[in-house]
Amino acid sequence: MLKIGIGHFFKWPKVSRKSIPIYTLLLSFFHVSLVFATDVLPQQTTETLSVKSILFSEKVDFLVTLPNDYLKQTDKHYVVLFDLHPRSHLYLAGMHDWMSHNGGWPWLETIIVTAPDGHQGLGKLKQGAIEQQGDQALLDFFEQDLLPAIDKRYRTNGFRIFNGFTGNAGLVLYSLINRPSLFNAYIAASPVLSTDFAYVLNDASKKLKNMQGKPRFLFISTSDSGFEQRQLDSFAKLEDIIQTHANHKLNYQIKRFDGSYYMTQPILATALGIEMIFNDVHTVLAADSEVSQQGTKAILAYYKRLSDEVYGFDVPAIDSLLALGNSLVKAAPQQAIGVYQDTLKAYPKAHSAYHELASVYAATGKMTQAIEAEQQALASTDHPFYQNKYTKQLAEFQK
């Protein structure tokens, strides 16, 4: 197998008896390297979730991939992403692993759920949604059976994403328009909209205008590829409807990936959509931003709104508070101390706030308070990097 696999790239040299041990050693090293690489790669946990429903006789087996640390971090809850296309699972799980392994940035750790191929009952529900105006049996299945089954079995945090490509993207829009509360964010790549598909174009203007409840996010995209040409007129109509009729409850982004391949569209849409969905989680408010200039109370209120209304899980304000405090250290150190103290009132275990507080105490000659604050920083984290950093800083203060 090895010879076939790499024979295209170089010609094997003639091997003498004396050189056999060397080649054996090299091949052995190559083998060990492969085994080692396999050992350190993440081992994803993938399992089946069987869902029953009164809407059809046979249960539906959904494929589920859990985040890499799901089984270890038993007190953590996770985002859910759902896609109706069975072949989407591999690329979604792989993209998620790549985009989340650096501390959930830019993709927060997520449970990936995809539908099976060829289930007749589920297929009929999709067909009804596409062909019969007002048919919402598919959404009933989501609301009454599928989503409760996911929440019952897994540690979910309440934030859900509905992802889809072409026909399934049309159903993503159908879900948003008819029952926006089912998911918090919707990603629709190259949606099929023509010939009254799921009556999206027919119903969108009225239902988007009357949308209520918590804010929802929509990322919708297309391109000028040959396969998408026949959908571009319908896409333009939907774009106009969204821009004209969507109320303040819908945060939307519309993107054209012109010049790219048709089968690349779901990859591009998912990647960029995910970045936009979680942008407010990762973006630190600049110290001179309108919110930060109003002080710590305004920053805390801003992140409380994000937590309660937009995401449904806690989005910490720590980094934005520290950015404000750091901007004041040189010009107004006492104000900086106040910001760090406000941060610790809101987040008593914020080790980084203790560290910054210690630094400004030291800079103003208050070494006893600096040492106490750095000791608090050290006691508030078990992360090796920060423990090492704070230990060194503490030693400097104690000289």
Side-chain angles (χ1 to χ4, degrees), residues 94-105:
M95 288 177 66
H96 166 258
D97 176 73
W98 176 254
M99 294 175 67
S100 69
H101 78 278
N102 281 329
W105 179 88

Side-chain angles (χ1 to χ4, degrees), residues 383-397:
H383 194 288
F385 173 82
Y386 293 108
Q387 284 188 327
N388 182 58
K389 178 180 179 179
Y390 300 158
T391 299
K392 289 180 178 179
Q393 185 65 78
L394 184 59
E396 289 292 321
F397 290 158

Side-chain angles (χ1 to χ4, degrees), residues 72-84:
K72 296 178 182 178
Q73 299 186 9
T74 55
D75 60 342
K76 186 172 181 178
H77 292 71
Y78 298 86
V79 172
V80 171
L81 182 142
F82 174 63
D83 194 303
L84 279 166

Side-chain angles (χ1 to χ4, degrees), residues 45-287:
T45 300
T46 299
E47 56 189 42
T48 298
L49 174 66
S50 296
V51 180
K52 295 180 181 179
S53 175
I54 61 172
L55 296 172
F56 34 75
S57 57
E58 295 183 355
K59 61 183 176 60
V60 192
D61 290 336
F62 291 86
L63 190 62
V64 179
T65 292
L66 303 175
N68 292 323
D69 293 332
Y70 182 90
L71 300 179
K72 296 178 182 178
Q73 299 186 9
T74 55
D75 60 342
K76 186 172 181 178
H77 292 71
Y78 298 86
V79 172
V80 171
L81 182 142
F82 174 63
D83 194 303
L84 279 166
H85 199 298
R87 294 199 73 136
S88 68
H89 198 97
L90 287 174
Y91 85 76
L92 287 172
M95 288 177 66
H96 166 258
D97 176 73
W98 176 254
M99 294 175 67
S100 69
H101 78 278
N102 281 329
W105 179 88
W107 193 339
L108 297 187
E109 290 183 294
T110 296
I111 298 168
I112 307 295
V113 182
T114 53
D117 189 17
H119 187 278
Q120 292 186 353
L122 186 59
K124 288 181 179 180
L125 295 186
K126 291 172 65 175
Q127 184 178 2
I130 294 168
E131 298 179 356
Q132 300 177 34
Q133 187 172 14
D135 188 319
Q136 296 191 14
L138 178 64
L139 302 181
D140 292 338
F141 171 69
F142 290 166
E143 184 170 19
Q144 299 167 15
D145 302 309
L146 174 60
L147 297 178
I150 295 171
D151 291 338
K152 182 178 180 180
R153 181 158 169 176
Y154 303 107
R155 298 190 309 275
T156 59
N157 65 10
F159 193 88
R160 302 170 180 145
I161 304 168
F162 193 2
N163 188 73
F165 177 47
T166 59
N168 289 323
L171 291 175
V172 166
L173 295 168
Y174 150 86
S175 178
L176 168 67
I177 289 167
N178 288 287
R179 211 168 297 184
S181 61
L182 291 182
F183 298 88
N184 304 79
Y186 296 80
I187 302 174
S190 307
V192 173
L193 297 167
S194 60
T195 64
D196 292 328
F197 187 96
Y199 294 89
V200 169
L201 293 179
N202 185 80
D203 298 338
S205 57
K206 179 179 179 181
K207 293 188 176 182
L208 289 177
K209 183 178 180 179
N210 295 326
M211 184 178 291
Q212 298 178 359
K214 293 184 177 182
R216 292 295 181 258
F217 176 83
L218 169 65
F219 180 85
I220 181 172
S221 65
T222 191
S223 79
D224 59 356
S225 78
F227 287 97
E228 290 161 298
Q229 287 296 323
R230 57 187 175 182
Q231 296 295 330
L232 292 183
D233 287 344
S234 298
F235 188 92
K237 290 178 183 177
L238 180 64
E239 183 175 7
D240 181 65
I241 290 171
I242 293 172
Q243 293 173 342
T244 303
H245 297 283
N247 66 26
H248 67 284
K249 294 294 184 179
L250 183 64
N251 175 17
Y252 65 87
Q253 295 288 336
I254 302 172
K255 181 70 175 177
R256 291 287 296 263
F257 294 115
D258 289 350
S260 57
Y261 283 92
Y262 174 67
M263 291 304 293
T264 311
Q265 299 311 307
I267 313 297
L268 298 173
T270 300
L272 192 54
I274 288 295
E275 286 189 358
M276 292 181 176
I277 288 169
F278 297 120
N279 184 58
D280 286 332
V281 175
H282 302 301
T283 299
V284 177
L285 293 175

